[in-house]
């Protein structure tokens, strides 16, 4: 008999990173505000949360992140100017971000790692399961990963992480999961986790990507978690404890994702994401694809 677990309603988006890989562009502009075609990357992430039914969004920010709050707030001067011009199309686009969700903000303060950023959400989340979405990972809306993760959590309880199979030489860039198969082809039982292992020490080729559905017991573990790799409090270390002792906060499952994911935290992947999404746009795609084919033919 399927157990009933609390319905998830809140999403947490850590967005306090310094964006050092994109300097100098991120010297004064948050990396989350860098445009992917014509929307900032962070808006795609909020839209994903809302599409999964999570319209209560807490963003963990830091210094110099005020533009994030401004983007999801009303801009009455701009709206008034567009309204006077009769530019209904652009007015709708401007208002879309402010009407997406109920937005909340808290500052992380000291940048002590992802685990610490998640811990900052404890007063807002309370004793409910919640989702965590990292802003560097954009998941194509045609591949509803988060919805599937919520389904698995509501069925099994505990926590659920998103996994992708990567090439062995790339596993050192990610958290890595030791897993057991289940009766569901896209769901595995997570038995252990290690943060950015050497290739020889990796327990599998399953990399943890930036989507989590977490049991609130993770907060108690994070409060006791010592700084790990890089001198930071790692969420992976807390999840490792949950995976080893189900009595604390239930089991840890993984959803193996085989859909379209765009990594905007890497400069090369960021550019590829823009090209892919622009090519698929009805308003931009036809002309852009024609130009792209011509450019590639000339350069090659």
């Amino acid at each position: 008999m399927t157990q009933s677990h609390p319905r998830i309603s809140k999403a947490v988006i850590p967005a306090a990173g310094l964006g050092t890989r994109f300097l100098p562009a991120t010297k004064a502009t948050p990396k989350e505000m860098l445009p992917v075609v014509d929307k900032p990357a962070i808006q795609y992430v909020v839209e994903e949360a809302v599409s999964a039914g999570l319209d209560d969004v807490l963003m963990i920010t830091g210094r110099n992140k005020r533009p994030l709050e401004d983007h999801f707030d009303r801009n009455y001067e701009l709206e008034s100017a567009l309204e006077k011009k009769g530019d209904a199309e652009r007015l709708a686009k401007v208002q879309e971000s402010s009407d997406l969700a109920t937005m909340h903000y808290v500052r992380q303060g000291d940048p002590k790692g992802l685990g610490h950023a998640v811990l900052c959400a404890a007063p807002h989340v309370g004793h409910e399961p919640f989702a965590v979405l990292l802003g560097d990972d954009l998941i194509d809306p045609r591949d509803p990963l988060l919805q599937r993760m919520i389904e698995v959590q509501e069925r099994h309880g505990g926590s659920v992480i998103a996994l992708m199979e990567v090439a062995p030489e790339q596993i050192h860039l990610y958290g890595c999961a030791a897993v057991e198969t289940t009766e569901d082809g896209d769901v595995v039982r997570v038995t252990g986790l290690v943060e950015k292992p050497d290739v020889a020490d990796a327990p599998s080729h399953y990399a943890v990507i930036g989507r989590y559905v977490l049991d609130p017991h993770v907060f108690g573990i994070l409060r006791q978690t010592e700084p790990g790799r890089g001198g930071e409090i790692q969420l992976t270390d807390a999840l490792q404890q949950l995976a080893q002792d189900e009595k604390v906060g239930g089991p840890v499952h993984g959803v193996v994702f085989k859909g379209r994911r765009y990594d905007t935290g890497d400069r090369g992947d960021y550019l590829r994401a823009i090209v892919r999404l622009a090519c698929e746009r009805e308003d931009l795609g036809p002309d852009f694809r024609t130009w792209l084919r011509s450019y590639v033919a000339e350069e090659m």
Side-chain angles (χ1 to χ4, degrees), residues 224-294:
Q224 304 299 320
T225 299
E226 295 293 328
R229 191 178 182 94
E232 297 181 335
I233 298 174
Q234 299 289 349
L235 179 59
T236 302
D237 293 341
L239 288 169
Q240 161 74 355
Q241 291 192 44
L242 287 175
Q244 289 183 329
D245 186 0
E246 294 183 8
K247 296 179 181 178
V248 175
V252 178
H253 286 86
V255 171
V256 180
F257 183 61
K258 296 182 179 180
R260 288 155 286 198
R261 165 183 173 256
Y262 312 108
D263 181 3
T264 61
D266 174 83
R267 289 174 297 175
D269 282 346
Y270 171 75
L271 294 173
R272 285 186 281 272
I274 293 174
V275 171
R276 289 171 183 166
L277 291 173
C279 284
E280 294 174 358
R281 287 267 295 262
E282 292 183 2
D283 57 338
L284 297 173
D287 288 342
F288 185 68
R289 289 193 300 269
T290 299
W291 173 84
L292 189 60
R293 290 190 191 99
S294 176

Side-chain angles (χ1 to χ4, degrees), residues 92-158:
K93 288 181 179 180
V94 168
Q95 292 176 332
E96 181 182 12
S97 59
S98 57
D99 295 335
L100 268 175
T102 302
M103 302 294 298
H104 309 270
Y105 304 90
V106 64
R107 285 198 174 192
Q108 184 178 5
D110 295 328
K112 297 179 181 179
L114 177 58
H116 181 260
V118 171
L119 185 56
C120 291
H124 181 78
V125 169
H127 300 288
E128 305 173 19
F130 63 103
V132 175
L133 298 85
L134 303 190
D136 286 347
D137 282 326
L138 301 191
I139 304 298
D140 194 294
R142 294 167 294 184
D143 300 315
L145 170 61
L146 188 57
Q147 289 95 318
R148 176 58 173 154
M149 294 174 68
I150 291 172
E151 290 172 4
V152 172
Q153 197 280 335
E154 289 179 341
R155 178 179 177 185
H156 297 288

Side-chain angles (χ1 to χ4, degrees), residues 32-55:
E32 296 84 4
M33 290 300 296
L34 295 179
V36 180
V37 188
D38 55 3
K39 284 193 298 189
I42 195 68
Q43 184 170 332
Y44 290 88
V45 180
V46 174
E47 288 173 350
E48 180 187 350
V50 172
S51 293
L54 313 181
D55 58 3

